[in-house]
Amino acid sequence: MIEKDFIPKPYTNSIENGSVTWSSPSNIALVKYWGKKAHQIPENPSISFTLNNCKTITNLSFTTKEKEGKFSFEVYLDGEKKDDFKPKIETFFNRVELYVPFLRNYHFKIETSNTFPHSSGIASSASGMSALALCLMSIEKELKGDILEVDFIKKASFLARLGSGSACRSLEGDIVVWGSHDKINGSSNLFGVKYPYTVHQNFKNYQDTILLVDKGEKQVSSTVGHNLMHGHPFAQERFKQADKNLSDCITILKDGDLDKFTALVESEALTLHAMMMTSMPYFILMKPNTLEIINKIWAFRNKTNSKVCFTLDAGANVHVLYPESESMRVLEFIKNELVAYCQNGQYICDVIGLGANKL
Ligand code: 2P0
């Protein structure tokens, strides 16, 4: 498919006003997206676990405008007007207007809330942009009369990507690939696809406990970080490595090899941060406690043969990943040895999930 295929034919129905609500989760990448071309096209493919508990719930209500023209909207977080969310949504609406031309016919009210604490450093752009994209698709579905489920999800993911790259991986579960890769059937740079191959039982209900190390605003946004991959001395090797790591994931996911999974996932996390540290200008998003936690996890693994491992997002928080069979002892370990490094002792227990829901 190409971009043009997402431009709809003239709508057959007309609707005065209405309201739709979607709940959409966050996701955590195993092979990371870091670096993009124009129009939110990733430099390398990525793969992620969809989360279950860290979600955004968005209600989008719309009323016909007296005069068609430019789109207009207002946005609320937990019932409070949030004008500082407007620029990102404005950019998103500008990018998607061609594909959802009804945008200019309505005034929108976006009411959103997250299940995770605000400013927890958990990326709300993936859950937030995917929830909003799904709401837009529900409106388009009404205007068209109907749309096939598969086309609905594909276009919602396509739109979500234009809001925030990683958001296109949040619609479905439990594992999603975004970015074209010659070994993954159906994979595309334009939208995320459900991972199409066999996944070993070991990964069923895989656990992700997110340790909140630093809840402050990041010094460097992901968008800026992605852009620093242009002209980065190691960029081309990194993109090749991600491609190979995704190939390796296919075997690891099939065999359920948790040692190889650990090596791949931890290397990806540290490589992501190495790219940040070797950008120009360079920057560091990890905090001292991020490293304390990583060292504790390594020591625990050496001592106990546990399969617990970590990954990182573009921030200081640590995602602790482990099989469901180890839940009790890893949680015990987290409480005894890791919580001390979390800001206000905060952490969030999550698990691999199945994707977004219409409410
Ligand atoms: C990922 N991250 O694969 C990578 C790893 C963070 C670390 O995608 O500019 O919010 O909106 O496309 O998707 C975060 O970047 O950036 C991200 P934009 P996005 O999850």
Side-chain angles (χ1 to χ4, degrees), residues 1 3-15 18-20 22 60 62 96-106 108 132-148 151-159 358:
M1 279 187 94
E3 270 109 335
K4 217 164 53 88
D5 299 334
F6 291 99
I7 300 173
K9 297 204 181 79
Y11 299 123
T12 47
N13 299 346
S14 75
I15 310 164
S19 160
V20 286
W22 276 88
L60 183 64
F62 54 101
V96 299
E97 196 178 355
L98 175 65
Y99 307 105
V100 278
F102 65 82
L103 273 190
R104 65 179 83 101
N105 301 348
Y106 299 108
F108 294 95
L132 187 53
L134 285 157
C135 288
L136 292 178
M137 280 311 294
S138 284
I139 299 173
E140 179 158 287
K141 185 175 171 177
E142 287 185 47
L143 290 166
K144 281 182 113 163
D146 207 6
I147 179 168
L148 287 176
D151 294 335
F152 181 99
I153 288 288
K154 197 180 277 183
K155 183 162 174 184
S157 177
F158 171 85
L159 297 177
K358 189 164 190 271

Coordinates of all heavy atoms in Angstrom, one line a residue, residues 1 3-15 18-20 22 60 62 96-106 108 132-148 151-159 358:
M1 N 0.8 -1.2 0.0 CA 0.0 0.0 0.0 C 0.9 1.2 0.0 O 2.0 1.2 0.5 CB -0.9 0.0 1.3 CG -2.1 -0.8 1.1 SD -3.2 -0.6 2.6 CE -4.3 0.6 2.0
E3 N 0.8 5.7 0.5 CA 0.1 6.8 1.2 C -1.3 7.1 0.6 O -2.3 7.3 1.3 CB 0.9 8.0 1.3 CG 1.8 8.1 2.6 CD 3.3 7.9 2.3 OE1 3.6 7.3 1.2 OE2 4.1 8.3 3.1
K4 N -1.2 7.3 -0.7 CA -2.4 7.7 -1.5 C -3.6 6.8 -1.2 O -4.8 7.3 -1.3 CB -2.1 7.7 -3.0 CG -2.7 8.8 -3.8 CD -2.0 9.0 -5.1 CE -1.9 7.9 -5.9 NZ -2.3 7.0 -6.8
D5 N -3.4 5.5 -1.0 CA -4.5 4.6 -0.8 C -5.3 4.9 0.5 O -6.4 4.4 0.7 CB -3.9 3.1 -0.6 CG -3.2 2.7 -1.9 OD1 -3.5 3.3 -3.0 OD2 -2.3 1.8 -1.8
F6 N -4.8 5.8 1.3 CA -5.5 6.1 2.6 C -6.4 7.4 2.4 O -7.0 7.8 3.4 CB -4.5 6.3 3.7 CG -3.9 5.0 4.2 CD1 -2.6 4.6 3.7 CD2 -4.6 4.1 5.0 CE1 -2.0 3.4 4.1 CE2 -4.0 2.9 5.4 CZ -2.8 2.5 4.9
I7 N -6.3 7.9 1.2 CA -7.2 9.1 1.0 C -8.6 8.5 0.7 O -8.8 7.7 -0.3 CB -6.7 10.0 -0.2 CG1 -5.3 10.5 0.2 CG2 -7.7 11.1 -0.5 CD1 -4.6 11.2 -1.0
P8 N -9.6 8.9 1.4 CA -10.9 8.3 1.2 C -11.7 8.8 0.0 O -11.5 10.0 -0.4 CB -11.7 8.6 2.5 CG -11.1 9.9 3.0 CD -9.7 9.9 2.5
K9 N -12.6 8.0 -0.5 CA -13.6 8.6 -1.5 C -14.6 9.5 -0.8 O -14.7 9.4 0.5 CB -14.4 7.4 -2.1 CG -13.5 6.4 -2.8 CD -14.4 5.6 -3.8 CE -13.6 4.6 -4.5 NZ -13.3 3.3 -3.7
P10 N -15.3 10.3 -1.5 CA -16.3 11.2 -0.8 C -17.2 10.4 0.1 O -17.6 9.3 -0.3 CB -17.0 11.9 -2.0 CG -16.1 11.8 -3.1 CD -15.3 10.6 -3.0
Y11 N -17.5 11.0 1.2 CA -18.3 10.3 2.2 C -19.8 10.2 1.8 O -20.2 11.2 1.1 CB -18.2 11.0 3.6 CG -16.8 11.0 4.2 CD1 -16.2 12.2 4.5 CD2 -16.1 9.8 4.4 CE1 -14.9 12.2 5.0 CE2 -14.8 9.8 4.9 CZ -14.2 11.0 5.2 OH -12.9 11.1 5.7
T12 N -20.4 9.1 2.1 CA -21.8 9.0 1.7 C -22.8 9.5 2.8 O -23.9 9.9 2.4 CB -22.1 7.5 1.4 OG1 -21.6 6.7 2.5 CG2 -21.5 7.0 0.1
N13 N -22.4 9.5 4.0 CA -23.3 9.9 5.1 C -23.0 11.3 5.6 O -21.8 11.7 5.4 CB -23.2 8.9 6.3 CG -23.6 7.5 5.9 OD1 -24.2 7.3 4.8 ND2 -23.3 6.6 6.7
S14 N -24.0 11.9 6.2 CA -23.6 13.2 6.9 C -24.1 13.1 8.3 O -25.1 12.5 8.6 CB -24.2 14.4 6.1 OG -25.5 14.5 6.4
I15 N -23.3 13.6 9.2 CA -23.6 13.6 10.6 C -23.4 15.0 11.2 O -22.4 15.6 10.9 CB -22.6 12.6 11.4 CG1 -22.6 11.2 10.7 CG2 -23.1 12.4 12.8 CD1 -21.4 10.4 11.1
G18 N -21.6 14.2 17.3 CA -21.5 12.9 18.0 C -20.3 12.9 18.9 O -19.7 13.9 19.2
S19 N -20.1 11.6 19.4 CA -19.0 11.5 20.4 C -18.6 10.0 20.3 O -19.4 9.1 20.2 CB -19.6 11.9 21.7 OG -18.9 11.3 22.8
V20 N -17.3 9.8 20.4 CA -16.7 8.4 20.4 C -15.6 8.4 21.5 O -15.0 9.4 21.8 CB -16.1 8.0 19.1 CG1 -17.1 7.7 18.1 CG2 -15.1 9.0 18.6
W22 N -12.3 5.9 22.9 CA -11.4 4.7 22.8 C -10.4 4.7 23.9 O -10.0 5.7 24.4 CB -10.6 4.8 21.5 CG -11.3 4.2 20.3 CD1 -12.2 4.9 19.5 CD2 -11.3 2.9 19.8 NE1 -12.6 4.1 18.5 CE2 -12.1 2.9 18.6 CE3 -10.6 1.7 20.2 CZ2 -12.2 1.7 17.9 CZ3 -10.8 0.6 19.4 CH2 -11.6 0.6 18.3
L60 N -13.8 11.8 22.1 CA -13.7 12.9 21.0 C -15.1 13.2 20.7 O -15.9 12.4 20.1 CB -13.0 12.4 19.8 CG -12.8 13.4 18.7 CD1 -11.9 14.5 19.1 CD2 -12.1 12.7 17.5
F62 N -17.7 15.9 18.6 CA -17.6 16.8 17.4 C -19.0 17.4 17.1 O -20.0 16.8 17.2 CB -17.1 16.1 16.2 CG -17.8 14.8 15.9 CD1 -18.7 14.8 14.8 CD2 -17.6 13.6 16.6 CE1 -19.4 13.6 14.5 CE2 -18.3 12.5 16.3 CZ -19.2 12.5 15.2
V96 N -2.7 14.7 9.1 CA -3.7 13.7 8.7 C -4.9 14.3 7.9 O -5.7 13.5 7.4 CB -4.2 12.9 9.9 CG1 -3.1 12.1 10.5 CG2 -5.0 13.8 10.9
E97 N -5.0 15.6 7.8 CA -6.2 16.2 7.2 C -6.5 15.7 5.8 O -7.7 15.4 5.5 CB -6.0 17.7 7.1 CG -7.2 18.5 6.9 CD -7.0 20.0 6.9 OE1 -5.9 20.5 7.1 OE2 -8.0 20.7 6.6
L98 N -5.4 15.4 5.0 CA -5.6 14.9 3.7 C -6.3 13.5 3.7 O -7.1 13.2 2.8 CB -4.2 14.7 3.1 CG -4.1 14.1 1.7 CD1 -4.7 14.9 0.6 CD2 -2.6 13.9 1.4
Y99 N -6.1 12.7 4.8 CA -6.6 11.4 4.9 C -7.9 11.3 5.6 O -8.6 10.3 5.5 CB -5.5 10.5 5.6 CG -4.2 10.6 4.9 CD1 -3.1 11.3 5.5 CD2 -4.0 10.0 3.7 CE1 -1.9 11.4 4.9 CE2 -2.7 10.1 3.0 CZ -1.7 10.8 3.7 OH -0.5 10.9 3.0
V100 N -8.2 12.3 6.4 CA -9.5 12.3 7.1 C -10.1 13.7 6.9 O -10.1 14.6 7.8 CB -9.4 12.0 8.6 CG1 -9.4 10.5 8.8 CG2 -8.2 12.6 9.3
P101 N -10.6 14.0 5.6 CA -10.9 15.4 5.3 C -12.1 15.9 6.1 O -12.3 17.2 6.0 CB -11.2 15.3 3.8 CG -11.4 13.8 3.5 CD -10.6 13.1 4.5
F102 N -12.8 15.1 6.8 CA -13.9 15.6 7.6 C -13.4 16.5 8.7 O -14.2 17.2 9.3 CB -14.8 14.4 8.1 CG -14.1 13.6 9.1 CD1 -13.9 13.9 10.4 CD2 -13.5 12.3 8.7 CE1 -13.3 13.1 11.3 CE2 -12.8 11.5 9.6 CZ -12.7 11.9 10.9
L103 N -12.1 16.5 9.0 CA -11.6 17.3 10.1 C -12.0 18.7 10.0 O -12.3 19.4 11.0 CB -10.1 17.3 10.1 CG -9.3 16.2 10.8 CD1 -7.8 16.5 10.8 CD2 -9.8 16.0 12.2
R104 N -12.1 19.2 8.8 CA -12.4 20.7 8.6 C -13.9 21.0 8.8 O -14.2 22.2 8.8 CB -11.8 21.2 7.3 CG -12.4 20.6 6.1 CD -11.8 21.2 4.8 NE -10.5 20.5 4.5 CZ -10.4 19.6 3.5 NH1 -11.5 19.3 2.8 NH2 -9.3 19.0 3.3
N105 N -14.7 20.0 8.8 CA -16.2 20.2 9.0 C -16.6 20.4 10.4 O -17.8 20.8 10.6 CB -17.0 19.1 8.4 CG -16.6 18.9 6.9 OD1 -16.0 19.7 6.3 ND2 -17.1 17.7 6.4
Y106 N -15.8 20.0 11.3 CA -16.3 20.0 12.7 C -15.4 20.8 13.7 O -14.2 21.0 13.4 CB -16.3 18.5 13.2 CG -17.2 17.6 12.5 CD1 -16.7 16.6 11.6 CD2 -18.6 17.7 12.6 CE1 -17.5 15.8 10.9 CE2 -19.5 16.9 11.9 CZ -18.9 15.9 11.0 OH -19.8 15.1 10.4
F108 N -13.9 20.1 17.4 CA -13.7 18.9 18.2 C -13.4 19.3 19.6 O -12.7 20.3 19.9 CB -12.5 18.1 17.6 CG -12.7 17.5 16.3 CD1 -12.3 18.2 15.1 CD2 -13.4 16.3 16.2 CE1 -12.6 17.6 13.9 CE2 -13.6 15.7 14.9 CZ -13.2 16.4 13.8
L132 N -6.5 8.8 19.9 CA -7.1 9.8 19.1 C -7.3 9.4 17.7 O -8.3 9.7 17.1 CB -6.2 11.1 19.2 CG -6.7 12.4 18.5 CD1 -8.1 12.8 19.0 CD2 -5.7 13.5 18.8
A133 N -6.3 8.7 17.1 CA -6.4 8.2 15.7 C -7.6 7.2 15.6 O -8.4 7.3 14.7 CB -5.1 7.5 15.3
L134 N -7.8 6.4 16.6 CA -9.0 5.4 16.6 C -10.3 6.2 16.7 O -11.2 5.8 16.0 CB -8.8 4.5 17.8 CG -7.8 3.4 17.6 CD1 -7.3 2.8 18.9 CD2 -8.3 2.3 16.7
C135 N -10.3 7.3 17.5 CA -11.6 8.1 17.5 C -11.9 8.7 16.2 O -13.0 8.6 15.7 CB -11.4 9.2 18.6 SG -11.4 8.7 20.3
L136 N -10.8 9.2 15.5 CA -11.0 9.7 14.1 C -11.6 8.7 13.2 O -12.5 8.9 12.4 CB -9.7 10.3 13.6 CG -9.2 11.6 14.3 CD1 -7.9 12.0 13.7 CD2 -10.2 12.7 14.2
M137 N -11.0 7.4 13.3 CA -11.5 6.4 12.4 C -12.9 6.0 12.7 O -13.7 5.6 11.8 CB -10.5 5.2 12.6 CG -9.3 5.3 11.8 SD -9.5 5.8 10.1 CE -10.4 4.4 9.4
S138 N -13.3 6.0 14.0 CA -14.7 5.7 14.3 C -15.7 6.7 13.7 O -16.8 6.4 13.2 CB -15.0 5.7 15.8 OG -14.4 4.5 16.4
I139 N -15.2 8.0 13.6 CA -16.1 9.0 12.9 C -16.1 8.7 11.4 O -17.1 8.7 10.8 CB -15.5 10.4 13.2 CG1 -15.6 10.7 14.7 CG2 -16.3 11.5 12.4 CD1 -14.9 12.0 15.1
E140 N -14.9 8.4 10.9 CA -14.9 8.1 9.4 C -15.8 6.9 9.1 O -16.4 6.9 8.1 CB -13.4 7.8 8.9 CG -13.4 7.5 7.5 CD -12.1 7.8 6.8 OE1 -11.8 8.9 6.6 OE2 -11.4 6.8 6.4
K141 N -15.8 5.9 10.0 CA -16.6 4.7 9.8 C -18.1 5.1 9.6 O -18.8 4.6 8.8 CB -16.4 3.8 10.9 CG -17.1 2.4 10.7 CD -16.8 1.5 11.8 CE -17.6 0.3 11.8 NZ -17.3 -0.7 12.8
E142 N -18.5 6.0 10.5 CA -19.9 6.5 10.5 C -20.2 7.3 9.2 O -21.2 7.1 8.5 CB -20.2 7.4 11.6 CG -20.4 6.7 13.0 CD -20.8 7.6 14.1 OE1 -21.8 8.3 13.9 OE2 -20.2 7.6 15.2
L143 N -19.2 8.1 8.8 CA -19.4 8.9 7.5 C -19.4 8.0 6.3 O -20.0 8.3 5.3 CB -18.3 9.9 7.4 CG -18.4 11.1 8.5 CD1 -17.1 11.9 8.5 CD2 -19.6 12.0 8.2
K144 N -18.7 6.9 6.3 CA -18.6 6.0 5.2 C -19.8 5.0 5.1 O -20.0 4.4 4.1 CB -17.3 5.2 5.2 CG -16.1 6.0 4.8 CD -14.9 5.1 4.8 CE -14.4 4.9 3.4 NZ -13.0 4.4 3.3
G145 N -20.4 4.8 6.3 CA -21.4 3.8 6.4 C -20.8 2.5 7.0 O -21.3 2.0 7.9
D146 N -19.7 2.1 6.4 CA -19.0 0.9 7.0 C -17.6 0.9 6.5 O -17.2 1.5 5.5 CB -19.8 -0.4 6.6 CG -19.5 -1.4 7.7 OD1 -18.9 -1.1 8.7 OD2 -19.9 -2.6 7.5
I147 N -16.8 0.0 7.1 CA -15.4 -0.2 6.8 C -15.0 -1.5 7.3 O -15.4 -1.9 8.5 CB -14.6 1.0 7.3 CG1 -13.1 0.8 6.9 CG2 -14.7 1.3 8.7 CD1 -12.3 2.1 7.1
L148 N -14.2 -2.3 6.6 CA -13.8 -3.6 7.1 C -12.9 -3.4 8.3 O -12.1 -2.5 8.4 CB -13.0 -4.3 6.0 CG -13.8 -4.9 4.9 CD1 -12.8 -5.5 3.9 CD2 -14.8 -5.9 5.3
D151 N -9.2 -3.0 7.6 CA -8.9 -1.6 7.0 C -9.0 -0.5 8.0 O -8.2 0.4 8.0 CB -9.8 -1.3 5.8 CG -9.6 -2.3 4.7 OD1 -8.5 -2.8 4.5 OD2 -10.6 -2.5 3.9
F152 N -9.9 -0.7 9.0 CA -10.1 0.2 10.0 C -8.8 0.3 10.9 O -8.3 1.4 11.1 CB -11.3 -0.2 10.9 CG -11.6 0.7 12.1 CD1 -12.6 1.7 12.0 CD2 -10.9 0.6 13.3 CE1 -12.9 2.5 13.0 CE2 -11.2 1.5 14.3 CZ -12.2 2.4 14.2
I153 N -8.3 -0.8 11.3 CA -7.1 -0.9 12.1 C -5.9 -0.4 11.4 O -5.1 0.3 11.9 CB -6.9 -2.3 12.7 CG1 -8.0 -2.7 13.7 CG2 -5.5 -2.5 13.2 CD1 -7.8 -2.0 15.0
K154 N -5.8 -0.8 10.1 CA -4.6 -0.4 9.3 C -4.6 1.1 9.2 O -3.5 1.7 9.4 CB -4.7 -1.1 8.0 CG -3.4 -1.1 7.2 CD -3.6 -1.8 5.8 CE -3.5 -3.3 5.9 NZ -3.6 -3.9 4.6
K155 N -5.7 1.7 8.9 CA -5.7 3.2 8.7 C -5.5 3.9 10.0 O -4.9 4.9 10.1 CB -7.0 3.6 8.0 CG -7.0 5.1 7.7 CD -7.9 5.6 6.6 CE -7.9 7.1 6.5 NZ -8.9 7.6 5.6
A156 N -6.1 3.3 11.1 CA -5.9 3.9 12.4 C -4.4 3.9 12.8 O -3.9 4.9 13.3 CB -6.8 3.2 13.5
S157 N -3.8 2.8 12.5 CA -2.3 2.8 12.8 C -1.5 3.7 11.9 O -0.6 4.4 12.3 CB -1.8 1.3 12.6 OG -0.5 1.2 12.8
F158 N -2.0 3.8 10.6 CA -1.3 4.8 9.7 C -1.5 6.2 10.2 O -0.5 7.0 10.2 CB -2.0 4.6 8.3 CG -1.7 5.7 7.3 CD1 -0.6 5.5 6.5 CD2 -2.5 6.8 7.1 CE1 -0.2 6.5 5.5 CE2 -2.2 7.7 6.2 CZ -1.1 7.6 5.4
L159 N -2.7 6.6 10.7 CA -2.9 7.9 11.2 C -2.1 8.1 12.5 O -1.4 9.2 12.7 CB -4.4 8.2 11.5 CG -5.4 8.1 10.4 CD1 -6.8 8.3 10.9 CD2 -5.0 9.2 9.3
K358 N -12.8 0.0 22.0 CA -13.8 1.0 21.9 C -14.7 1.0 23.1 O -15.1 -0.1 23.5 CB -14.6 0.8 20.6 CG -15.5 2.0 20.3 CD -16.0 1.9 18.8 CE -16.7 3.2 18.4 NZ -18.1 3.2 18.7

